[in-house]
Amino acid sequence: MPEAERDTLATDIVIVGAGPAGLSCALRLAQLIEQHNAKAASNPALSPENIYVLEKAGEIGAHCLSGAVLDPRSLRELVPDFEAKGAPLESPVTDDAVYFLTRSGQWKLPVIPPFLQNHGNYIVSVNRLTKWLGSLVEAAGVSLFPGFAGSDILYDGRRVAGIRTDDKGVDRNGNPKSNFQPGYDLRAKIVVLAEGTRGSLTKQLVRQQGLDRAANPQAYSLGVKELWQVPAGRVGRGQVIHTAGWPLSGRQLGGGFIYALEETQLSVGLVVGLDSEDPRFDVHNCFQQFKTHPLVMGLLEGGELLRYGAKTIPEGGYFSIPTTATDGALIIGDAAGFLNAQRLKGIHLAIKTGMLAAETIFEALLQQDCSQAALSQFETKWRASWVHDELWKVRNYRQGFEHGFWPGVLHAGLQMVSGGRGVRARYPLYKDHEHMKRLDEMPGGPVETRPDGKLTFDKLSDVYRSGTHHEEDQPCHLKIADFDICNSRCAREYGNPCQNFCPAAVYEMEENADGSGRHLKINASNCVHCKTCDIADPYEIITWVVPEGGGGPRYDGM
C-alpha cells in the first residue's frame, strides 16, 4: 500500500498505554500542572489537555488483567483519599493460606512466608481499578484516546519525537478498504512507553538504542486466569490462597492462586515460568489439571465460569530492567520490568514509576529540556525511592530458579537471609526459550486433560469467555519471519511448540490440501495479546505487533 497522507498533531506528552502505569503518570502530571498553574494563573504555560494517552483497547481497562492483590502504598500516595473517592476495592485481604499440592492431597504451610503475607492489601479487579483511574484522569482534563494503538516510533535523528497511530480499515492484504483512515503522527516533546509486558514499541526502542546492554535478559511467566461464580459458604470474602507443587514438576517455577473477591466470586489461576524445558508443555492444559485437584474442585464444583484471560508477567527483576530514559522517551511499569516476582505484585510499582516519571516530565517541561540528560532524572528518582529498595531485596530471586523449583527455594532462602544477595552478587539469567529442549531429548509426554465443559474447558471455549474480537479482514499482527522453519525444521525439532504455549489456540498445524504434509495456520482473531509467542518461540521468528486499535480481549471484571 502506498504511503498515506497523515495528519500531524503536536502536543507536549504522549503516553502509550492506559494501564495503571500510564494513567498514574497522566494523573500525577495533571496534578502537578494544576498546582503550577494555580501559582502562575496570569500565564499558565502548561495544560493537561496536552497530555495524550493512547490505548489500543476499545475502552479503558479492557486489556488489563491480573490476579490481583494490590499493595495500596503507591495508590495512597497518588490519591490519598482513594477509598472516599470510590476506588473499586473488591475486598481487603482477610486471611492468607499457602498449600503445597500433591496429586490427591495437600499440605498447608504452618507459617506464611513474609512475602506472601497480605495483611493491609486488597483483592481487586485490575480492569475495574483501571477504569476508575481513567475516570480521574479524564476529570483532570487529560486527553484519552481509546481504540488507538501506537504502531511506530517517530524520530528526529536519535531522539524520540512522537508516535504514529495505527491505520484503520486495511484489509488482510494490506490494501485500503472503503472505511480506510490513515493513522496520525503525534509529535511530542516526551513519549512515555507504558505498554505493559513485552510492548512492541518498547521492544523496538530498547533494541535500536541498546538500552538493555547492561541488563540481564528479561524472564517471563504466563498467567492464565478464570473468574468463577460459586455457591456461597465455600470460602470467605477476602480469602487469599496460594499453591505450589502439583500439577507442576520439580523442574518448573510457578503455582496457583485463588482469591475470593466475594463469598460467591473467585479469581482462580495458574502462573508458570516460560522457561519450560518441554516444548509440549501447555500452561492452559496444566491449569485445567489444577482445577481437578480436590482442594480446588471442592471450591468450584457446581459453579459457573464467567470470564477467562491470559497475560505474561515480567519477572527478571532488578537486573533485567533496561535503561529507562533516553532522548525524548521514558519506559515505565511492566514495559520496563518493574515487578516483584517474589511477592507476585507489580501494580503498585507501575503506579509509583508512573508518578516518578510524571515528576521528571514536569521538571523537564518547566526547564524546556527533554534531552536524555534531563529525563535521566527518572532513573535517579526511582533508584532513590522505595521502588529500588523493594526490588533490590529480591534482585536475584528469579535467577535462583534457573535450575528448577527446589534449587530455587534454596536460593530464595539464602537470599532472604543475605538481603537479596545469595551466594553471589549478581546471578546470570538466560532467555526463556533457551531452556527449551528438542523432542528427542524429552522422555514420555505431557498429561492431557479432556475438558468436561463444566469444570475444565478447551482453549477455544475459554477464548470465547475472554470477549476477544478482532476485525477478521485486517493484516495479521503476528509476523513470522520464515514459514519454512515452522513447517519443516520446527516441526521436526520441537513439534511446533507454538500450538502448546499459546493460551488462545492462535497457532495450528493444518494438513496441506494435497496431503504433502502440514503447514502453520494462524488464527489471529483468537489472540488475547499476551505476547507469549513473541517470548517463547525457540527460533525467535515470531514478532507480535499491534493489530487495528479497538480489537482484542474484553476483560470485564477481571
Side-chain angles (χ1 to χ4, degrees), residues 144-168:
L144 292 176
F145 296 96
F148 286 84
S151 62
D152 294 286
I153 299 174
L154 304 177
Y155 293 93
D156 284 338
R158 186 178 181 275
R159 187 181 82 83
V160 174
I163 293 294
R164 175 168 293 172
T165 67
D166 62 308
D167 294 336
K168 299 184 184 300

Side-chain angles (χ1 to χ4, degrees), residues 448-466:
E448 295 291 337
T449 297
R450 290 189 176 183
D452 60 15
K454 296 179 181 179
L455 178 66
T456 57
F457 302 87
D458 60 31
K459 288 182 181 180
L460 288 178
S461 297
D462 264 341
V463 169
Y464 172 77
R465 289 176 174 85
S466 71

Side-chain angles (χ1 to χ4, degrees), residues 206-412:
V206 168
R207 286 188 174 178
Q208 179 171 331
Q209 301 199 0
L211 301 180
D212 59 349
R213 277 191 296 263
N216 281 344
Q218 188 56 264
Y220 299 89
S221 284
L222 173 61
V224 292
K225 169 185 169 180
E226 292 175 349
L227 188 66
W228 279 75
Q229 195 78 25
V230 299
R234 295 184 178 178
V235 65
R237 182 171 181 260
Q239 172 76 55
V240 167
I241 298 172
H242 289 106
T243 74
W246 190 90
L248 299 174
S249 75
R251 299 287 295 173
Q252 293 175 299
L253 168 65
F257 64 85
I258 303 167
Y259 303 154
L261 290 82
E262 304 171 6
E263 285 189 5
T264 58
Q265 196 168 91
L266 301 181
S267 174
V268 185
L270 185 73
V271 178
V272 186
L274 286 176
D275 55 354
S276 175
E277 296 176 339
D278 192 342
R280 302 161 300 186
F281 180 72
D282 184 327
V283 175
H284 179 273
N285 178 68
C286 192
F287 174 50
Q288 303 310 309
Q289 294 176 42
F290 171 71
K291 290 186 294 179
T292 67
H293 189 277
L295 175 69
V296 186
M297 184 168 58
L299 297 175
L300 300 183
E301 209 165 25
E304 178 187 4
L305 171 60
L306 302 177
R307 308 293 289 172
Y308 166 79
K311 178 188 183 294
T312 47
I313 304 165
E315 293 188 337
Y318 182 87
F319 291 124
S320 291
I321 297 172
T323 299
T324 53
T326 187
D327 199 2
L330 296 172
I331 310 172
I332 63 176
D334 276 7
F338 287 105
L339 184 134
N340 185 332
Q342 187 185 67
R343 295 184 70 201
L344 305 174
K345 289 178 176 59
I347 298 172
H348 67 303
L349 296 169
I351 292 172
K352 182 62 175 179
T353 56
M355 294 173 65
L356 295 174
E359 293 166 11
T360 303
I361 292 165
F362 178 71
E363 293 165 4
L365 291 176
L366 289 183
Q367 297 166 7
Q368 298 184 15
D369 181 1
C370 302
S371 65
Q372 181 169 0
L375 295 183
S376 289
Q377 284 301 307
F378 173 60
E379 292 266 349
T380 303
K381 287 178 184 294
W382 77 255
R383 293 183 189 278
S385 74
W386 56 259
V387 171
H388 171 276
D389 297 342
E390 179 171 333
L391 293 181
W392 183 251
K393 292 175 183 175
V394 293
R395 59 192 179 275
N396 284 314
Y397 180 76
R398 174 61 190 260
Q399 300 95 300
F401 288 86
E402 280 281 296
H403 300 291
F405 179 77
W406 292 113
V409 171
L410 175 61
H411 280 292

Side-chain angles (χ1 to χ4, degrees), residues 9-15 29 33 45-52 159 161 187-192 328 361 365 370:
L9 301 175
T11 190
D12 289 338
I13 309 298
V14 171
I15 300 172
L29 186 53
I33 289 172
L46 304 174
S47 171
E49 293 180 357
N50 291 331
I51 306 169
Y52 288 7
R159 187 181 82 83
R187 310 289 294 190
K189 297 173 183 176
I190 301 173
V191 169
V192 182
I361 292 165
L365 291 176
C370 302

